Amino acid sequence: MTTVISPPESPAGSPAPRASRGFTFPTRFLPVIATIALFIAMFGVGSFRYEGFSSPQTLLSVLVDNSHLIVLAVGMTFVILTGGIDLSVGSVVALSTMIAAETLRAGWAAPLVIVTVLLTGSVLGLLMGLVIHYFEIQPFIVTLAGMFLARGLCYVISLESIPIKNETFTSFASGTIEIGDYFITPSVIVALVVLVIAAVVLHMTRFGRTVYAVGGSEQSALLMGLAVARTKVGVYVISGFCSALAGLLFSIYTLSGYNLGAVGMELDAIAAVVIGGTLLTGGSGLVLGSAVGVLVLGLIQSFISFDGTLSSWWTKITIGVLLLVFVLIQRLFTRRTT
Amino acid sequence: MRDLGLRFVRHNLFWPTLALVLLLLLNLTKTPDFFSLRLQDGHLYGSLIDILRNSAPTLLIALGMTLVIATRGIDLSVGAVAAISGAVACTYMAGSPDESTAGRAVIGMTMAVAVAVLLGVWNGFLVSVLGIQPIIATLVLMTAGRGLAMLITDGQITTVNNSLFAKVSTGFVLGLPIAILIALAVFAITAVLTRRTALGMLIEAVGINPEASRLAGVRARTITWTVYVFVAFCAGIAGLMIASNTSAADANAAGLFIELDAILAVVIGGTSLAGGRFSLTGTLIGAMFIQTLATTIPTMGIPAETNYLFKAVVVIVVCLLQSPKARAVLSVRRSSPLLTKGSAA
């Protein structure tokens, strides 16, 4: 047994012990508030520097361009909350676009295509989850295999990119939803619905609470009699499903299946989750934070396109720097509490 | 005799070596002259030499990665470091008035490796001093690194015209490619340093339990820091090889996914990702295996891009073979049901 039962900390002097119920609220939301503050600050600086940046459409465009990434980050949040990691998501996105494009070209009906894609992603996630849990192999290496597998399958489907001409998909792609003078796309609605469902699942169901418990301490969760196996496998199924859904949104966004697409998207998703305040050791974080993290990444891109003189590579450098800052803050935060 | 056979089969390197040999023999069935070597202008030519030459960058990085993984760490940034190294060398040479002289090549390459070492110091600092998880600490540089490489090359593919620089990847010494000689030299030095001194044992001690080894008087922090510097050094040289191969620095494509290949080589070689023990010879075989696989697939008439699919299968098989759980399941299946019942009771 490695778990040590420490005596309760002396209440005198120690500020707000973590276990006490009344005080958990602020600490839990603190990282997300920090991310939201960063977002608002970036938006403020952008509005100050560039003409037209302050328009609400800038924000909505960020949502439109990154709806697939939000879905991806939501799935990734589940995995990271249990202390795992999923490197396969980018490749699964590419695989989903390929399956969608190829089956549509073969004349399948759109609903059937959507079900097939979602099922493929979920099954891939299920397989990875089963291997991770039952053979006790590190998530890193299993999902690395999943990444290779999905990318390889892309090339099995086709060596070239395939355009999507299906009417359901194209109408979904060109469809807009007007909000006053501004607009969003149906993809944004899908992403927001996924976000809300994920938040409800995480905070209002037994499964969600078990996700946090497993991330906090798998050993303790097991001793408490929680369904650790089901939860650990479940988060990879969710991540696989979200990747497939993100793949569908991405295929609608680009209207093609491209086997070299979405390379490195898993890094964007992980970065968004970290910037959103989720601890990589698991057990702490909110899906809302991950969504705001995606918006921060999107806003960096808006900055660069608005500026015009900045080169595209500044996106990567900025994401790296933000990642570093948030990891350092996390480090300070966890050091203080432990 | 049976014991000897069993010991042979149980040896850590038996399965990786067998896999490599089988893969090479598979090539022989398609191309009968696969093993033939020609001596031409004092250079050796042949498929085997090509495999050796092309495996050099992966092998170099995998050697460094072996030590990092032995300390229970991981370095995702090596591909980006390789790209930066190539970018530094090429940009320096292309920017100087006499770009084709040997002196410029030496200065450029020294600068590139120095930059790579600095990046390793940075990674090591994050991991050993600040105590950030290795996967995240190196993710920072993995994300930002390619941006930095593009910043150095100004987003262009920088080409250079320098015969000495080109030799790093395409040159021959004593009939063998220089690239593999460099990689093998690093292999030999690393092997001597880790296996003929206590360094290897100390690295393993840190991998098993950093805190306990620190209390036992091992300088855990220094050792952890050093391995990240070493892997970055290897990545820097590998980056020079990659850039030298085409005499150009491509910030986007140079060393893309090489971190995954290197990790794969380490895992195939029998080094556990849980840290605590490592095999440099295993890594050597692993790197050869990956390169041979990449050569075999087009030879068999399968599109080269499906390489990924086979790598996935290899990763899964290797991991299952290493997993104690999977081994337990397999051995239960193999033994008779009566025996299992007896042992369970």
Side-chain angles (χ1 to χ4, degrees):
Chain A
M1 275 307 268
T2 49
T3 43
V4 178
I5 300 159
S6 56
E9 285 175 36
S10 60
S14 71
R18 248 198 325 171
S20 99
R21 266 173 176 267
F23 291 93
T24 47
F25 179 80
T27 32
R28 223 177 77 197
F29 282 91
L30 217 54
V32 181
I33 291 170
T35 315
I36 293 173
L38 172 75
F39 180 76
I40 293 171
M42 282 174 68
F43 188 69
V45 171
S47 311
F48 182 71
R49 284 195 58 176
Y50 310 116
E51 206 178 320
F53 198 92
S54 58
S55 154
Q57 189 58 50
T58 311
L59 291 182
L60 295 179
S61 297
V62 168
L63 273 175
V64 168
D65 293 337
N66 292 289
S67 51
H68 57 277
L69 199 54
I70 291 179
V71 176
L72 211 54
V74 164
M76 185 67 86
T77 312
F78 275 85
V79 174
I80 291 182
L81 278 177
T82 64
I85 198 142
D86 191 346
L87 296 182
S88 71
V89 293
S91 298
V92 175
V93 165
L95 178 63
S96 304
T97 65
M98 288 302 283
I99 293 177
E102 179 67 22
T103 48
L104 285 174
R105 191 164 67 172
W108 291 26
L112 186 63
V113 169
I114 292 168
V115 171
T116 311
V117 169
L118 292 179
L119 213 59
T120 313
S122 309
V123 169
L124 268 176
L126 175 69
L127 290 176
M128 289 189 288
L130 289 174
V131 172
I132 289 167
H133 183 73
Y134 286 103
F135 291 120
E136 290 176 3
I137 305 174
Q138 289 94 331
F140 177 81
I141 198 81
V142 175
T143 54
L144 179 64
M147 171 185 180
F148 281 141
L149 184 74
R151 192 63 75 177
L153 286 174
C154 287
Y155 290 104
V156 171
I157 292 172
S158 168
L159 292 176
E160 281 117 37
S161 71
I162 312 164
I164 292 177
K165 297 195 180 85
N166 180 282
E167 271 180 27
T168 318
F169 273 62
T170 49
S171 65
F172 202 84
S174 56
T176 52
I177 297 160
E178 313 240 335
I179 308 171
D181 293 340
Y182 313 109
F183 75 94
I184 51 171
T185 55
S187 297
V188 176
I189 305 290
V190 174
L192 294 179
V193 168
V194 168
L195 183 66
V196 170
I197 293 175
V200 168
V201 167
L202 271 180
H203 300 292
M204 292 171 140
T205 66
R206 183 176 292 177
F207 176 82
R209 279 195 296 275
T210 316
V211 167
Y212 281 102
V214 170
S217 166
E218 192 177 334
Q219 187 77 24
S220 308
L222 203 63
L223 290 174
M224 282 162 72
L226 297 175
V228 171
R230 206 191 307 151
T231 311
K232 264 180 82 184
V233 177
V235 292
Y236 289 95
V237 177
I238 290 174
S239 179
F241 176 86
C242 285
S243 311
L245 185 59
L248 283 175
L249 295 182
F250 196 59
S251 68
I252 287 164
Y253 184 65
T254 59
L255 276 182
S256 67
Y258 182 36
N259 42 33
L260 255 179
V263 167
M265 205 181 262
E266 59 277 348
L267 298 183
D268 287 340
I270 295 172
V273 173
V274 173
I275 291 173
T278 301
L279 280 187
L280 279 150
T281 41
S284 167
L286 300 169
V287 273
L288 178 67
S290 304
V292 180
V294 171
L295 294 183
V296 168
L297 297 189
L299 210 54
I300 296 174
Q301 233 136 36
S302 309
F303 252 86
I304 282 160
S305 59
F306 262 90
D307 191 279
T309 59
L310 287 171
S311 309
S312 64
W313 50 82
W314 283 105
T315 316
K316 285 180 178 178
I317 298 178
T318 320
I319 293 174
V321 171
L322 278 183
L323 201 57
L324 175 72
V325 169
F326 273 79
V327 168
L328 288 179
I329 292 173
Q330 276 194 10
R331 185 67 202 148
L332 278 175
F333 188 67
T334 46
R335 244 188 204 168
R336 199 172 294 160
T337 51
T338 48
Chain B
M1 192 59 212
R2 200 166 156 262
D3 271 7
L4 194 74
L6 209 65
R7 243 173 69 191
F8 197 64
V9 172
R10 291 240 172 106
H11 192 275
N12 285 340
L13 298 180
F14 174 76
W15 291 108
T17 317
L18 183 73
L20 178 61
V21 170
L22 284 179
L23 203 57
L24 287 169
L25 290 177
L26 188 66
N27 274 294
L28 202 61
T29 60
K30 275 277 174 182
T31 37
D33 59 344
F34 188 74
F35 285 127
S36 70
L37 297 175
R38 286 179 292 114
L39 197 66
Q40 196 176 320
D41 310 329
H43 303 162
L44 282 172
Y45 285 94
S47 305
L48 288 182
I49 297 292
D50 283 344
I51 291 176
L52 280 176
R53 193 172 73 88
N54 294 332
S55 68
T58 315
L59 172 59
L60 258 178
I61 292 179
L63 287 174
M65 192 70 84
T66 311
L67 299 188
V68 171
I69 288 177
T71 64
R72 214 191 281 173
I74 201 136
D75 191 344
L76 296 179
S77 70
V78 285
V81 172
I84 291 175
S85 161
V88 167
C90 288
T91 309
Y92 173 77
M93 276 185 268
S96 61
D98 46 348
E99 67 166 89
S100 53
T101 57
R104 290 294 169 195
V106 171
I107 298 173
M109 288 191 281
T110 314
M111 274 172 61
V113 174
V115 169
V117 166
L118 270 181
L119 295 173
V121 170
W122 163 257
N123 276 335
F125 173 76
L126 290 183
V127 174
S128 66
V129 179
L130 298 185
I132 299 170
Q133 284 160 286
I135 187 171
I136 300 313
T138 53
L139 182 68
V140 171
L141 194 54
M142 185 192 190
T143 318
R146 289 208 178 267
L148 288 174
M150 279 196 260
L151 184 66
I152 294 168
T153 60
D154 207 22
Q156 309 288 317
I157 296 179
T158 313
T159 52
V160 288
N161 179 20
N162 188 309
S163 57
L164 183 71
F165 183 61
K167 277 218 171 71
V168 173
S169 171
T170 53
F172 287 81
V173 167
L174 301 171
L176 286 169
I178 291 175
I180 193 65
L181 290 178
I182 295 175
L184 287 177
V186 172
F187 170 76
I189 294 168
T190 318
V192 167
L193 277 180
T194 53
R195 291 309 185 203
R196 289 284 168 258
T197 71
L199 187 63
M201 201 186 66
L202 298 182
I203 288 174
E204 290 179 338
V206 171
I208 293 165
N209 190 333
E211 189 55 26
S213 54
R214 193 184 65 79
L215 291 173
V218 178
R219 292 189 171 188
R221 179 178 286 184
T222 316
I223 287 181
T224 312
W225 203 336
T226 313
V227 292
Y228 283 93
V229 176
F230 178 65
V231 73
F233 168 76
C234 293
I237 300 181
L240 291 178
M241 285 178 186
I242 295 165
S244 148
N245 201 20
T246 52
S247 278
D250 183 346
N252 263 323
L256 193 64
F257 294 136
I258 204 165
E259 58 277 348
L260 303 182
D261 277 349
I263 294 168
L264 196 53
V266 174
V267 171
I268 291 174
T271 301
S272 157
L273 276 176
R277 66 190 164 87
F278 66 92
S279 163
L280 288 171
T281 319
T283 299
L284 177 73
I285 296 171
M288 294 300 155
F289 180 84
I290 290 173
Q291 192 54 48
T292 312
L293 186 69
T295 314
T296 309
I297 288 163
T299 317
M300 304 304 287
I302 309 166
E305 288 87 350
T306 46
N307 196 347
Y308 292 114
L309 211 57
F310 294 92
K311 278 185 190 167
V313 174
V314 171
V315 176
I316 291 166
V317 170
V318 169
C319 286
L320 287 181
L321 282 176
Q322 285 184 356
S323 151
K325 275 269 176 143
R327 278 185 174 175
V329 172
L330 282 175
S331 62
V332 166
R333 286 227 178 108
R334 257 187 231 148
S335 53
S336 73
L338 252 176
L339 202 78
T340 338
K341 228 179 185 177
S343 62

